[in-house]
Amino acid sequence: MFTTFFFWYCALVILGCGLLAISLRNPVHSVLSVLVLFFHLAGLYLLLQAEFLAAVQVIVYAGAILVLYLFVLFLINLKEELKLDAFVPGVKLGRGIAVGLFVLLLWALPSFTAGQHGQWTSKLIEENGHVQTLGLEIFTQYLLPFEIAGVILLMALIGGLVLAAKIDRPADNKTASVPEASGQQMEKHP
Amino acid sequence: MNTRLLVPNSAAFDWSTAIPAMPELVLLTIGVVLVALDLFVPTQRRLLPWLTVLGVSVTLLLNLGMSFPLRPDSMLANDGYAAFFSTLCLGCVILTALMREMYAEQVNSHQGEFYYLLIFAAVGMMIMAAAVDLMTIYLGLELMALPIYVLVGMQKQETRTSEAAAKYFLTGVFASALLLFGMSLLYGLTGTSNLTAIGHYIAAHGLLSNSALLVALALMLAGLCFKVAVVPFHMWTPDVYEGAPTVLTAFMSVAPKAAGFAIFGRILFSIFPELYGNWGPVLAFLAILTMAIGNIVALAQTSLKRMLAYSAIAHAGYALLGLVAGTANGMMATMSYLFIYLFMNMGAFGILILLARGQKSRESIDSCKGLAGRNPLLALCMLVFMFSLTGIPPTGGFAGKFYLFQSALAAGYTGTVIIAVLLSAVSAFFYLRIVRLMYMSPADGEVALAQPATAMVVALVISVAGTLLLGVAPGLLFDWAGVALQP
């Protein structure tokens, strides 16, 4: 009973915060509503008995990533919105497609049946502890995806630096100061 | 620490599971070496394109030489299918690296980052080509996409590149979200992320009539169609292709698309073969739409770059025909076509780079005027590429289209093939208009044409040779694709 109530509470708050995040005009307010969203997402992890993931969710996403977003917002100090041409002519078409997708999911999802279970039962996880179980799986079975994710993060870092560096490098000029600075940061990463 | 579980598991961990990832690891190492070179030996930046070509060639050979039996639990397969698509993508990287220096000279933007971002994107593509697990498919896709977003926006003197990068990023992320939604449904339904295991589970547990599975299929199709720019999921393509630096547009219209088709084929044929009745007609419809919009809108373009962008959309439609057929023959036709498309499209973009000289105003089709008088050799190359893109024998484009139409006919899609042939005839208007401008119009006063750099000449020679050779002996390529598809 309580878990059902708790699930619906979290789900509705997540939905509401998600809508607020994209509809609020002030970017700081948007980030704050995403913060609330992340806390309730952590609540969902708790419901699934994944305490470690819930803690990681709060520490990494709510604690680190959102603070980074806020820093970025304060640093670039956007006074007015940037506007791009819409891809789809008219907002109504986009909304129509979104509603259509929603109805489609409502129609299809009741027939969802859960598939086979893996080797880890919740009792076994309880016995071993979440961290150890997660570590075992990530560093054996899922080592390759884990490493690819690492490379993706490295790419994000290099990409961010390339986009943030102000100048296009001329042919045989001495290296400009900005790429030098980016180089030092890059070494710190791994 | 509880070692009861740890010990048997760590003993069971088998490093040989990492061996199929060897070519990817080698390429990754080369990428990291280039990062270091660019940082610490900035004076030798001129070496970067050649080192890139060398490194990618080594990886290509290594990739062709390696073949391992597939383990049931592995996430990357080193089969012929992966080797075929990796060769295609790496070939595209080589041609791009060869053409880039000339373009960089024109726009005076010599960032060494270009080369290693390209290599990291290539690693992502190789992972996509080899992936047999939903997880590696998705991660490979992201690893490919992320460097390309950056590459599109890298050249910052032009405002349109930043806009293109923003658009590409937003649509790319949206497509990823759709794909992930489909994948998560699929994982929930079957409890495994391995493609073969998912296929077996669906067949064994009678999930075929489950509407959640259909929605998963639809969402994944939508996500993949975004990635390979199939109408109606194409609206980002013209703007992004036009806004991106030309050399990158050439790359984007071939390699990421080929990698997208690699996972497209892998997903459809190993998870959803029994649902062919559902996805076959849908894809046939989308293929018709794609060919129609791509070819008809290309008619109205006055910018050569934008025309090639729409032609890239149309060619995605042709390539889709092989998937529509739903047979091994069809997949072989798609694979061969993508390979031929690599040569003819990279070549056409190479000539565009030479003509445009890095200026937006020269990207118009009028810059082709009188090319035959100014530089007969270049005009002849362009003639070959335009004939091949139209599908006129004896070029590769004809052979590729022939196999595609044949396989779709064999699968019973007669109407689709008739429309495809008609639309190919429409495409002759705008491709051959270029030929007419080159050979039958006098030059517009400007006669000077930059001397192509050595690397550019090499790239053009490879493209022409590939286009013509595959036109004369397409059987070789088709047979290779057939061998690649064998389990």
Side-chain angles (χ1 to χ4, degrees):
Chain A
M1 181 59 211
F2 170 72
T3 48
T4 321
F5 171 76
F6 188 65
F7 170 78
W8 280 106
Y9 162 72
C10 284
L12 288 177
V13 173
I14 286 175
L15 205 60
C17 288
L19 285 175
L20 278 180
I22 55 172
S23 53
L24 285 173
R25 285 285 163 211
N26 188 331
V28 179
H29 294 168
S30 291
V31 170
L32 288 180
S33 74
V34 174
L35 179 71
V36 179
L37 189 157
F38 281 159
F39 274 118
H40 287 82
L41 208 56
L44 283 187
Y45 281 129
L46 281 183
L47 266 185
L48 293 171
Q49 301 179 333
E51 292 91 356
F52 179 68
L53 279 185
V56 168
Q57 172 77 21
V58 169
I59 294 171
V60 175
Y61 279 88
I65 293 184
L66 272 185
V67 173
L68 200 70
Y69 282 3
L70 279 177
F71 271 129
V72 171
L73 279 179
F74 291 142
L75 278 178
I76 57 177
N77 193 17
L78 275 182
K79 284 279 184 282
E80 52 190 87
E81 268 181 273
L82 291 172
K83 288 216 161 129
L84 287 173
D85 296 338
F87 305 114
V88 195
V91 193
K92 285 196 179 126
L93 183 61
R95 283 188 187 148
I97 292 172
V99 171
L101 188 63
F102 182 65
V103 172
L104 184 76
L105 288 173
L106 272 190
W107 164 76
L109 288 190
S111 63
F112 180 87
T113 50
Q116 64 197 6
H117 295 284
Q119 51 168 340
W120 292 97
T121 59
S122 50
K123 192 159 165 282
L124 200 57
I125 297 176
E126 207 66 52
E127 258 173 50
N128 280 288
H130 285 86
V131 185
Q132 190 179 342
T133 314
L134 208 63
L136 273 177
E137 281 292 306
I138 284 184
F139 292 108
T140 56
Q141 174 85 37
Y142 296 101
L143 181 65
L144 193 67
F146 180 73
E147 294 296 335
I148 301 173
V151 179
I152 291 179
L153 282 181
L154 177 70
M155 267 343 293
L157 190 86
I158 295 179
L161 292 170
V162 170
L163 286 182
K166 283 234 164 42
I167 28 168
D168 291 331
R169 200 180 287 136
D172 23 47
N173 213 348
K174 289 265 164 63
T175 327
S177 61
V178 178
E180 279 296 328
S182 63
Q184 283 157 16
Q185 277 175 25
M186 209 145 48
E187 286 158 41
K188 279 181 205 159
H189 174 67
Chain B
M1 194 183 197
N2 183 354
T3 49
R4 193 166 51 81
L5 255 166
L6 186 64
V7 173
N9 261 293
S10 63
F13 182 68
D14 186 357
W15 281 100
S16 66
T17 48
I19 289 180
M22 198 52 86
E24 284 87 350
L25 286 176
V26 169
L27 194 58
L28 193 66
T29 316
I30 292 167
V32 173
V33 167
L34 287 192
V35 173
L37 264 182
D38 187 42
L39 275 176
F40 301 118
V41 203
T43 45
Q44 299 301 314
R45 201 162 275 138
R46 295 261 170 209
L47 283 178
L48 283 179
W50 298 107
L51 285 176
T52 307
V53 172
L54 189 73
V56 174
S57 310
V58 168
T59 315
L60 211 163
L61 291 178
L62 191 66
N63 189 52
L64 280 177
M66 281 181 62
S67 178
F68 286 93
L70 180 60
R71 297 161 50 108
D73 59 337
S74 68
M75 301 210 163
L76 292 180
N78 225 310
D79 51 4
Y81 186 81
F84 187 95
F85 276 104
S86 299
T87 310
L88 174 46
C89 294
L90 293 179
C92 185
V93 170
I94 291 177
L95 288 181
T96 312
L98 285 174
M99 296 190 334
R100 148 82 184 177
E101 211 45 20
M102 177 101 195
Y103 183 76
E105 207 67 55
Q106 290 171 341
V107 296
N108 197 22
S109 164
H110 287 261
Q111 284 141 311
E113 288 92 347
F114 184 91
Y115 296 103
Y116 50 81
L117 285 172
L118 201 64
I119 284 189
F120 283 119
V123 175
M125 288 174 203
M126 291 180 72
I127 291 173
M128 280 165 81
V132 286
D133 192 287
L134 291 181
M135 202 124 46
T136 34
I137 285 182
Y138 176 69
L139 287 170
L141 191 66
E142 287 304 304
L143 181 54
M144 172 197 80
L146 214 57
I148 299 180
Y149 300 143
V150 179
L151 284 171
V152 172
M154 209 167 80
Q155 187 190 319
K156 284 181 285 284
Q157 308 108 325
E158 267 196 82
T159 47
R160 59 177 183 160
T161 62
S162 323
E163 196 181 323
K167 277 191 176 178
Y168 192 35
F169 178 67
L170 288 174
T171 42
V173 170
F174 183 58
S176 291
L178 287 179
L179 192 67
L180 269 186
F181 205 164
M183 284 181 175
S184 65
L185 273 178
L186 208 55
Y187 177 69
L189 279 167
T190 61
T192 170
S193 60
N194 185 288
L195 294 188
T196 334
I198 291 176
H200 287 325
Y201 188 90
I202 290 175
H205 290 75
L207 282 177
L208 288 176
S209 52
N210 194 321
S211 48
L213 186 71
L214 286 183
V215 169
L217 170 65
L219 287 171
M220 289 174 82
L221 275 188
L224 290 170
C225 284
F226 260 112
K227 292 290 175 190
V228 297
V230 165
V231 177
F233 307 103
H234 71 294
M235 52 290 184
W236 55 276
T237 324
D239 289 349
V240 172
Y241 282 10
E242 197 195 359
T246 312
V247 63
L248 197 70
T249 310
F251 173 73
M252 281 200 308
S253 62
V254 178
K257 217 174 250 190
F261 270 107
I263 56 173
F264 216 137
R266 194 85 89 167
I267 286 176
L268 286 182
F269 287 111
S270 34
I271 304 184
F272 299 114
E274 279 96 351
L275 281 178
Y276 174 65
N278 294 71
W279 55 260
V282 172
L283 283 187
F285 178 66
L286 293 183
I288 293 176
L289 268 185
T290 310
M291 289 181 288
I293 302 237
N295 282 323
I296 291 171
V297 181
L299 277 178
Q301 302 307 318
T302 50
S303 155
L304 184 56
K305 195 172 175 184
R306 211 171 163 82
M307 189 201 95
L308 284 175
Y310 276 104
S311 116
I313 295 178
H315 284 278
Y318 295 128
L320 207 55
L321 281 179
L323 289 181
V324 168
T327 53
N329 260 336
M331 195 61 213
M332 277 150 73
T334 296
M335 288 157 79
S336 324
Y337 192 71
L338 289 169
F339 216 104
I340 295 164
Y341 183 65
L342 159 73
F343 292 116
M344 56 190 187
N345 204 50
M346 294 303 283
F349 271 104
I351 301 218
L352 171 64
I353 291 174
L354 281 175
L355 288 175
R357 276 182 273 159
Q359 290 167 29
K360 195 187 165 192
S361 56
R362 287 184 207 268
E363 279 164 12
S364 138
I365 54 172
D366 289 334
S367 55
C368 296
K369 272 187 182 169
L371 187 64
R374 286 185 282 160
N375 192 334
L377 216 54
L378 214 55
L380 195 65
C381 291
M382 191 62 163
L383 178 86
V384 170
F385 300 138
M386 287 298 131
F387 272 21
S388 185
L389 284 168
T390 322
I392 296 174
T395 52
F398 170 74
K401 269 187 188 165
F402 177 77
Y403 284 130
L404 280 173
F405 293 167
Q406 195 191 32
S407 65
L409 269 182
Y413 286 94
T414 319
T416 312
V417 172
I418 291 174
I419 298 176
V421 171
L422 286 178
L423 287 168
S424 292
V426 169
S427 74
F429 278 108
F430 58 86
Y431 289 131
L432 298 186
R433 183 172 56 186
I434 305 286
V435 175
R436 191 183 50 119
L437 284 176
M438 287 191 309
Y439 280 93
M440 294 171 195
S441 299
D444 264 355
E446 48 168 300
V447 274
L449 201 62
Q451 192 60 36
T454 327
M456 183 59 127
V457 173
V458 174
L460 282 179
V461 166
I462 294 176
S463 303
V464 172
T467 311
L468 287 178
L469 269 182
L470 293 179
V472 177
L476 294 175
L477 182 66
F478 200 65
D479 289 345
W480 180 27
V483 172
L485 273 183
Q486 238 120 67

